[in-house]
């Protein structure tokens, strides 16, 4: 059983819980290979997907995970709701909670919003990405993909390359991977590294060639131009020449590195199409593992909630 009621981030998340989620994801991946890709594990459970920011992979894979587990699900869109009439987020979610929901999946542009949500409602809350803070389910599916490829996370050398400043994926992967015994090096221009890196158990290199020589796998991050309020790089062209995982650079090294990217990709900027579509890349397998990982997370968190509630009911009867 997992230690925490919610999944809000991977900072200080227990290693045994991460391993339980990974092992359960592999069991659910087998379900996805069956002709009928559905199990009754979450029958009667109601889940609301609360997305206030755009998403393709996370939203669709949560929806698929819920359908594969036979849960009832509802999609909430901020733009079509009474939030547009001035209702507060607190009132909105308390109204949803009054309709007896079991879990909420939340994506929001403001860091910490999923944590706030846990104070208003009794349902399980899963962070599907909060601003530049954390994206724990992405890091879990990345760890599932790495364990599938290498057999273990312990001792693996992972280079995270790109726009670290705006990346919730980088933060969750740094916490998750180092907790699981992997070594992490970050590679980015100084202007795209957070100023508070002191607390992270990672090394930094400004040379992509050095990272490629060192790493077993690269997690390549999108240049988040839409979150840059000011010019942080001289030009996209210069960024690509120093930090782009280009075909030329990969050919020069001739190393069978495993290439990962959380998506969406800026082809021709942080990654070349030849690299993204090569046999070295496991980017689409990451997406498949996203469904299995989110099935595991939903199943484990809702099993914990249900077991705690039946214990509470038994105590009341005594
Ligand atoms: N990786 C990821 O979070 O993608 P989406 O923004 O499409 O959900």
């Amino acid at each position: 059983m997992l230690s925490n009621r919610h999944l809000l981030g991977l900072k200080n998340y227990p290693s045994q819980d991460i391993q339980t989620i990974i092992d359960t994801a592999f069991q659910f991946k087998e379900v996805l290979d069956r002709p009928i890709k559905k199990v009754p594990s979450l029958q009667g459970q109601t889940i609301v997907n609360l997305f206030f920011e755009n998403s393709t992979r996370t939203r669709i894979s949560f929806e698929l995970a819920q359908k594969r587990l036979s849960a009832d699900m509802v999609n909430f869109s901020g733009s079509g709701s009474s939030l547009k009439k001035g209702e507060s987020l607190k009132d909105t979610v308390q109204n949803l909670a009054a309709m007896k929901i079991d879990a909420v999946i939340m994506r929001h542009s403001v860091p910490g919003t999923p944590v706030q949500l846990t104070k208003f409602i009794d349902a399980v809350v899963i962070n599907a990405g909060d601003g530049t803070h954390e994206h724990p389910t992405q890091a879990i599916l990345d760890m599932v993909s790495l364990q599938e490829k290498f057999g273990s996370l312990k001792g693996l050398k992972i280079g995270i390359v790109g726009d670290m400043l705006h990346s919730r994926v980088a933060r969750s992967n740094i916490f998750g991977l180092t907790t699981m015994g992997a070594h992490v090096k970050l590679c980015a221009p100084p202007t795209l590294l957070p100023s508070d890196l002191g607390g992270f158990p990672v090394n930094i290199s400004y040379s992509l060639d050095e990272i490629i020589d060192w790493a077993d796998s690269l997690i390549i991050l999108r240049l988040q131009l839409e979150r840059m309020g000011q010019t942080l790089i001289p030009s996209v062209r210069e960024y690509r020449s120093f930090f782009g995982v280009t075909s030329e650079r990969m050919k020069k090294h001739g190393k069978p590195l495993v290439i990962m990217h959380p998506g969406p990709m800026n082809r021709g900027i942080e990654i070349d199409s030849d690299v993204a579509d090569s046999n070295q890349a496991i980017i689409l397998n990451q997406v498949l593992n996203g469904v299995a990982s989110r099935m595991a997370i939903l199943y484990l968190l809702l099993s914990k909630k249900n077991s705690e509630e039946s214990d509470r009911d038994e105590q009341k009867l005594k």
Side-chain angles (χ1 to χ4, degrees):
M1 178 122 30
L2 300 181
S3 318
N4 298 301
R5 182 176 179 83
H6 310 287
L7 178 58
L8 302 168
L10 292 187
K11 189 172 187 181
N12 301 324
Y13 205 77
S15 60
Q16 65 271 25
D17 286 7
I18 294 178
Q19 196 58 59
T20 300
I21 297 173
I22 293 173
D23 295 343
T24 311
F26 286 123
Q27 288 168 21
F28 281 123
K29 194 163 180 189
E30 282 171 29
V31 173
L32 300 179
D33 286 332
R34 294 180 193 164
I36 297 173
K37 303 170 184 54
K38 205 170 172 97
V39 286
S41 313
L42 292 188
Q43 224 161 33
Q45 302 288 293
T46 307
I47 303 171
V48 177
N49 298 311
L50 213 52
F51 278 67
F52 293 93
E53 244 193 9
N54 294 342
S55 169
T56 298
R57 280 146 291 268
T58 311
R59 187 171 60 79
I60 303 290
S61 72
F62 263 116
E63 284 180 30
L64 277 174
Q66 292 151 12
K67 286 174 192 277
R68 304 294 188 226
L69 292 169
S70 309
D72 296 318
M73 41 83 73
V74 180
N75 288 321
F76 174 94
S77 142
S79 60
S81 75
S82 289
L83 284 165
K84 289 284 165 206
K85 300 180 198 163
E87 185 170 58
S88 70
L89 182 61
K90 180 178 175 182
D91 280 336
T92 300
V93 294
Q94 284 182 332
N95 276 274
L96 295 174
M99 296 184 224
K100 301 260 177 228
I101 57 170
D102 298 293
V104 179
I105 318 302
M106 180 182 241
R107 172 168 286 194
H108 203 285
S109 58
V110 179
T113 312
V115 177
Q116 288 302 317
L117 192 62
T118 64
K119 298 179 183 152
F120 306 149
I121 59 172
D122 197 33
V124 165
V125 177
I126 301 176
N127 180 4
D130 59 334
T132 55
H133 177 227
E134 282 227 37
H135 193 350
T137 66
Q138 177 68 44
I140 296 278
L141 76 88
D142 290 341
M143 289 188 275
V144 168
S145 306
L146 284 164
Q147 182 166 318
E148 188 175 48
K149 193 75 191 170
F150 292 99
S152 167
L153 297 172
K154 201 166 171 53
L156 269 186
K157 291 183 267 184
I158 310 299
I160 305 182
V161 183
D163 183 355
M164 229 69 64
L165 185 63
H166 303 101
S167 180
R168 53 197 178 204
V169 174
R171 291 173 68 86
S172 291
N173 263 309
I174 290 168
F175 296 132
L177 284 165
T178 54
T179 297
M180 300 310 285
H183 306 292
V184 176
K185 269 193 191 179
L186 310 182
C187 181
T191 49
L192 292 183
L193 284 167
S195 53
D196 62 345
L197 269 174
F200 293 146
V202 293
N203 291 313
I204 295 163
S205 169
Y206 301 112
S207 161
L208 180 53
D209 291 314
E210 187 204 303
I211 293 280
I212 291 175
D213 281 338
W214 170 81
D216 299 310
S217 177
L218 293 185
I219 298 176
I220 301 160
L221 302 173
R222 184 170 69 89
L223 199 56
Q224 297 194 37
L225 294 165
E226 79 281 10
R227 288 197 209 265
M228 290 187 197
Q230 52 179 314
T231 311
L232 295 173
I233 49 168
S235 70
V236 168
R237 195 176 156 149
E238 185 175 310
Y239 177 84
R240 180 181 183 274
S241 77
F242 283 101
F243 296 98
V245 181
T246 60
S247 320
E248 297 77 39
R249 189 168 255 131
M250 292 306 288
K251 276 190 200 123
K252 186 179 87 181
H253 285 270
K255 201 179 162 195
L257 270 184
V258 171
I259 298 293
M260 301 171 72
H261 194 305
M265 287 186 276
N266 290 316
R267 289 174 182 258
I269 300 180
E270 72 265 3
I271 187 167
D272 275 4
S273 275
D274 287 355
V275 179
D277 300 331
S278 70
N279 291 336
Q280 284 177 250
I282 58 164
I283 295 167
L284 291 179
N285 196 43
Q286 285 174 262
V287 177
L288 174 62
N289 286 336
V291 179
S293 301
R294 289 170 176 127
M295 287 172 82
I297 291 161
L298 286 166
Y299 171 73
L300 289 166
L301 288 176
L302 283 164
S303 301
K304 177 180 170 67
K305 174 179 178 283
N306 292 336
S307 143
E308 284 172 355
E309 283 172 1
S310 54
D311 284 353
R312 217 183 305 154
D313 292 344
E314 269 178 34
Q315 288 299 325
K316 273 190 209 154
L317 287 174
K318 277 184 191 163

